[in-house]
Amino acid sequence: MDEITTHQMGNPSDAIDCMITILGIESSCDDTSAAVIRDGVILSNVIAGQAVHERYGGVVPELASRAHQQNIIPVVHDALKQAGIDKSELSAIAFTRGPGLLGSLLVGTSFAKGFSSALNIPMIDVNHLQAHVLAHFIKEDENDTNQPTFPFLCLLVSGGNSQIILVKSHDEMEIIGQTIDDAAGEAFDKCAKVMGLGYPGGPIVDKLAKLGNPDRFKFSKPNIAGYDYSFSGLKTSFLYFLRDELKTDADFIEKNKEDLCASLQKTIVDILMNKLYHAAKDLKIKEVAVAGGVSANSGLRTAFEEYSRRYGWKIHIPKFAYTTDNAAMVAISGYYKYLKDEFCEYDVAPYARVEI
Ligand code: KG4
């Protein structure tokens, strides 16, 4: 193994020819995660979920931050262990600064401050949304060359966002379309809740949709100008449709849940793909990626493959481990900032809201 150099705070670029080893910390919502990336190659990615929220049907911010406090040290310990490195080999610590739940972000930010101070290495603040996009640059090994080339379009779809992003470089991203109300993940989760399917609803809808007929029911699609999205109308039409059907058959949902899920999923995927198609066509871009929690959806993944065949798109679909919140995407973002000497100070504060 090559000699490892510990990069000291103040002049880390002196060591740019040596290996760059970044510890990433993610704590923006309800997943505590730590990952190690060396020269862009993933060495470990540990994620601890928080089952405590299930019984409430959504994330409870105060419980989330308490769980992060309990999880953070064992998760970081595991990430270093799985990577097979000692903490003294770290070049810098990258952490999610926002957007997210403030109490949750504070745990990761405080940990990053304490750990980087103790190790005397730099700290790098990362935008969570940019990190989702940059997850496509994580290398599985040194020979992995499957990263997107600039410029490309990224559909970022999660519980809080539905955006079409024009990605011009690792740090230059422009939102060209976004939801004006609910996000795609919220549409999945809220409609699943109406059907009594549990939380989070997206993966449950996805599972049931595989057994159903996607053309059985039709739900309303928005008519919004440009590349923006809207999902609140769909949610309302789904709710009213069920309310009417339940008046005549109290078991309507139970009898039809597979077809309901398949039809709902098809509607959401059609809405997402339609705008993305027009953006790609107008901008003459054929390299298209998807990111965020909803990118785990099988219907959306299949649609990407279909559009790739039909329109000659080169597509980038993330590994499942990089779809939901994870620290690997934070570590890779930190790696690119490290290359440009973009570090932050110890008085940095997390932010709940911020654009990409
Ligand atoms: O990016 P993410 O992990 O977290 C935040 O938004 O903070 O995304 C979570 C969202 C949830 O709405 C969840 O229901 C959705 O991603 N999701 C899915 C699937 N897996 C996760 N939606 C549809 N199909 C899936 N397989």
Side-chain angles (χ1 to χ4, degrees), residues 29 132 158-160 185-186 188-189 200-203 206 292-294 296-297 323-325:
C29 190
H132 270 300
S158 66
E186 262 178 298
F188 272 111
D189 294 344
D206 191 358
V294 181
N297 185 264
T323 56
T324 47
D325 293 342

Side-chain angles (χ1 to χ4, degrees), residues 257-276:
K257 62 179 186 237
E258 290 86 1
D259 289 349
L260 283 166
C261 288
S263 303
L264 173 70
Q265 179 165 297
K266 181 174 191 288
T267 311
I268 295 174
V269 170
D270 282 354
I271 295 170
L272 290 171
M273 294 309 289
N274 184 277
K275 292 284 171 124
L276 187 60

Side-chain angles (χ1 to χ4, degrees), residues 148-154 164-168 174 176 227 276-289 307 311-316:
T149 48
F150 302 112
F152 66 94
L153 286 180
C154 185
I164 300 177
I165 300 160
L166 174 59
V167 189
K168 299 171 190 171
E174 184 189 339
I176 58 168
Y227 309 130
L276 187 60
Y277 164 74
H278 281 104
K281 189 168 166 243
D282 295 349
L283 296 172
K284 298 185 175 46
I285 289 180
K286 293 220 165 192
E287 190 139 353
V288 188
Y307 276 62
Y311 303 113
W313 285 4
K314 182 168 186 219
I315 53 167
H316 298 276

Side-chain angles (χ1 to χ4, degrees), residues 150-205:
F150 302 112
F152 66 94
L153 286 180
C154 185
L155 175 70
L156 175 56
V157 269
S158 66
N161 292 278
S162 296
Q163 301 178 329
I164 300 177
I165 300 160
L166 174 59
V167 189
K168 299 171 190 171
S169 69
H170 291 114
D171 56 2
E172 221 187 325
M173 303 185 193
E174 184 189 339
I175 298 168
I176 58 168
Q178 62 185 325
T179 182
I180 57 166
D181 41 54
D182 290 348
E186 262 178 298
F188 272 111
D189 294 344
K190 287 179 178 172
C191 292
K193 196 170 181 180
V194 171
M195 289 187 279
L197 293 182
Y199 171 86
I204 306 170
V205 171

Side-chain angles (χ1 to χ4, degrees), residues 176-251:
I176 58 168
Q178 62 185 325
T179 182
I180 57 166
D181 41 54
D182 290 348
E186 262 178 298
F188 272 111
D189 294 344
K190 287 179 178 172
C191 292
K193 196 170 181 180
V194 171
M195 289 187 279
L197 293 182
Y199 171 86
I204 306 170
V205 171
D206 191 358
K207 203 168 157 202
L208 289 168
K210 289 184 182 132
L211 309 170
N213 174 4
D215 298 313
R216 168 96 185 276
F217 304 112
K218 297 272 175 262
F219 304 112
S220 85
K221 290 185 185 166
N223 187 11
I224 310 274
Y227 309 130
D228 283 343
Y229 289 116
S230 166
F231 289 100
S232 68
L234 167 63
K235 184 189 65 191
T236 311
S237 100
F238 190 76
L239 183 71
Y240 287 174
F241 171 75
L242 288 185
R243 192 191 57 185
D244 293 345
E245 293 296 333
L246 288 169
K247 278 182 196 156
T248 50
D249 180 0
D251 295 328

